[in-house]
Amino acid sequence: MSGTSRVTVFPLLHRWSELYSAPAGRCIVAYAATGQGGTDAVIGVIPRPDLVDGMPSLMEVAARHAPSGYGPQGPNAFGSWLTCTSWSARVAPKVGQLDIPSVGWELTVHQTVRDLVPQGATAKSVYGHLHVYVGLFRLMDPVLMAEAESVLARTDTPVGEQLQPA
């Protein structure tokens, strides 16, 4: 799938070294919205195979977090957690992340959750979204793609700690 819209790119620490006896897993996530009124959340990993676990399945990352506020464990809870994480990155920016007002993008879709089930008596959507598409994300502008690939270099974690061991 593809589109042109606002894109937020942010770092995600998704595996903790003290829990897994391995280097911490970090990746770069991109978030966009598409569909009529932005009802579709588009969330993907910016490919960085040189990072320790830099291209994880985001649905597996969500499953490891065992989100509890979105009903039973499964696709709805995992898609809702990813939507919450991405939306939160947009509205509460962190050091080093990138927010692009309008750019062309492509998502190689790996998983889709249609008809997200919001929690709460009056909720009609999950952070404004009804569907979530998850996969590998690419920006169509090569200069902005290079900037997105370097998001981790702008964070507080030294890049050397993020690269695959030699």
Side-chain angles (χ1 to χ4, degrees):
M1 75 185 305
S2 62
T4 298
S5 64
R6 179 180 179 188
V7 174
T8 302
V9 181
F10 59 97
L12 179 66
L13 171 65
H14 64 87
R15 193 183 67 222
W16 297 266
S17 57
E18 60 273 8
L19 295 178
Y20 293 96
S21 298
R26 291 178 176 81
C27 65
I28 302 168
V29 177
Y31 164 59
T34 191
Q36 187 174 359
T39 57
D40 299 339
V42 179
I43 304 167
V45 171
I46 298 284
R48 282 291 305 269
D50 58 320
L51 296 177
V52 173
D53 205 7
M55 293 175 43
S57 159
L58 290 177
M59 291 295 268
E60 289 176 11
V61 168
R64 282 197 311 265
H65 280 78
S68 61
Y70 305 104
Q73 297 296 296
N76 183 75
F78 306 153
S80 296
W81 182 86
L82 288 170
T83 302
C84 172
T85 300
S86 299
W87 181 86
S88 297
R90 177 170 286 174
V91 300
K94 305 293 184 283
V95 172
Q97 79 178 45
L98 180 63
D99 192 62
I100 307 165
S102 180
V103 65
W105 50 262
E106 287 182 345
L107 181 78
T108 302
V109 179
H110 293 168
Q111 291 141 321
T112 302
V113 181
R114 296 187 189 279
D115 303 318
L116 289 169
V117 179
Q119 301 301 302
T122 60
K124 297 192 181 350
S125 66
V126 176
Y127 300 93
H129 302 297
L130 302 175
H131 316 290
V132 62
Y133 299 87
V134 180
L136 289 179
F137 199 102
R138 287 210 166 279
L139 299 173
M140 302 311 296
D141 180 317
V143 172
L144 290 174
M145 185 62 183
E147 194 172 341
E149 290 169 341
S150 70
V151 158
L152 288 172
R154 295 191 304 264
T155 67
D156 294 333
T157 305
V159 173
E161 291 180 22
Q162 301 169 32
L163 297 176
Q164 291 277 10

